Amino acid sequence: MLRDPFLNEEFQPDLMWFIGVFDVYDREETRGAELEVFNPNDRFDRAELIKRYSLNLGYLSYRHKLVLMDFLAEKLSDASYDFQSLFDIDEEDAGSWPRGEWYALEDPRGFLQDVYLLAQEAWKEDLLLASLEDRDSW
């Protein structure tokens, strides 16, 4: 069984692995200042954000990456999946985005589609390696 990299339990894929890195709650002066120069609705800024932050997850193994990509592909193929809900932060939650645009992205599905496309390239070797293994042995 594939284990969570931080908890001693089974790994549960979640799209927040890709976008949770943009949460700046209690880090507004550091991470927030770093991220607020980017506009997530601009395709060039978005690509830079994804490459620099969403895919720079050194704590995930090649196996975790494949499981996450499969999960993301499943959600992208579901036309009714509400991608905006991933970016909704309740006022009572301990979380915040770096800029107002994050709360109402023009195309939240497109953001995750870009994650998928860029990860295909950035994680190419890891995904191939994991795909050659028997998942039952994990």
Side-chain angles (χ1 to χ4, degrees), residues 19-86:
I19 62 172
V21 295
F22 302 113
D23 183 349
V24 297
Y25 180 77
D26 229 7
R27 300 179 298 166
E28 290 84 2
E29 281 107 34
T30 55
R31 177 59 65 93
E34 188 179 321
L35 294 174
E36 73 179 10
V37 300
F38 295 99
N39 178 349
N41 291 315
D42 177 87
R43 68 183 185 118
F44 297 109
D45 281 0
R46 182 170 43 209
E48 188 64 26
L49 285 164
I50 292 167
K51 290 176 195 173
R52 207 184 280 190
Y53 299 97
S54 293
L55 303 180
N56 192 13
L57 306 174
Y59 41 83
L60 293 179
S61 74
Y62 63 101
R63 292 171 176 166
H64 291 98
K65 291 174 182 178
L66 180 63
V67 170
L68 279 174
M69 288 295 285
D70 288 349
F71 185 75
L72 176 54
E74 177 186 319
K75 297 304 178 197
L76 288 170
S77 68
D78 179 356
S80 66
Y81 188 80
D82 180 12
F83 287 91
Q84 179 57 50
S85 68
L86 298 168

Side-chain angles (χ1 to χ4, degrees), residues 98-112:
R99 295 171 50 142
E101 294 90 351
W102 288 89
Y103 292 90
L105 287 177
E106 292 171 3
D107 184 10
R109 175 182 288 276
F111 189 96
L112 275 297

